[in-house]
Amino acid sequence: MTLMAFVNVAGASLIRGGAPVSSSSDRIPSATRVSMAVDIPSSPADLLRRYTNLKADQGRTAVLERPAETTRRGGVDPSRKYRVVIFKDPAQSKAFVADVLLKVVPDLNKIAATRIVEEVFYSGKGVVGTWVLELAEMYCDLLRNNGLRSDIAED
């Protein structure tokens, strides 16, 4: 595909495809017109053939692969569980902590939330629950956004 553009040397107007872009001049005299043809590749493969000199036999070919989740050191094991832990904060009341727990964690009932709050105020920290990493991070962030000090720990 070829794109044609005409530019007035004096800078009065630009015509693209025969239609003026600026209203300063409807017609550019042919003596002042400069024409430029740009050849646009029709496909990505055509672009690659024309503008790169990479060849497969030169060893410069790159293959993008999505890394698989592994259980090796440094990898993420999707079946591993993480605990969400909240910490005691003297500025917060027991009722406030219980209300936040009930609002954020849908699996908790009032008795379980009260048990967690008593554990937090007695020992300084308490386990809210155990989930896979993504859910544990989500609950931890929600607890933090509601004013509680929380963190996740590997189970």
Side-chain angles (χ1 to χ4, degrees), residues 125-141:
K125 65 180 180 177
V127 177
V128 177
T130 304
W131 295 279
V132 294
L133 180 61
E134 289 181 0
L135 285 175
E137 287 176 339
M138 179 192 72
Y139 286 131
C140 183
D141 289 341

Side-chain angles (χ1 to χ4, degrees), residues 78-100:
S79 64
R80 184 170 286 163
K81 302 286 186 173
Y82 294 84
R83 290 176 286 146
V84 175
V85 181
I86 58 173
F87 300 97
K88 182 179 179 179
D89 188 355
Q92 299 165 344
S93 67
K94 290 182 180 181
F96 173 75
V97 175
D99 288 341
V100 170

Side-chain angles (χ1 to χ4, degrees), residues 1 3 5 15 40 43 59 66 69 78 97 132-134 140 149:
M1 174 166 49
L3 175 70
I15 295 180
I40 299 175
S43 69
R66 174 175 276 178
E69 290 184 319
V97 175
V132 294
L133 180 61
E134 289 181 0
C140 183
R149 293 178 41 211

Side-chain angles (χ1 to χ4, degrees), residues 60-113:
R60 293 186 197 166
T61 310
V63 178
L64 297 176
E65 293 181 2
R66 174 175 276 178
E69 290 184 319
T70 64
T71 58
R72 295 182 198 169
R73 182 179 288 175
V76 175
D77 184 6
S79 64
R80 184 170 286 163
K81 302 286 186 173
Y82 294 84
R83 290 176 286 146
V84 175
V85 181
I86 58 173
F87 300 97
K88 182 179 179 179
D89 188 355
Q92 299 165 344
S93 67
K94 290 182 180 181
F96 173 75
V97 175
D99 288 341
V100 170
L101 286 173
L102 289 171
K103 182 171 91 172
V104 169
V105 184
D107 297 339
L108 286 181
N109 57 24
K110 193 168 184 169
I111 295 171

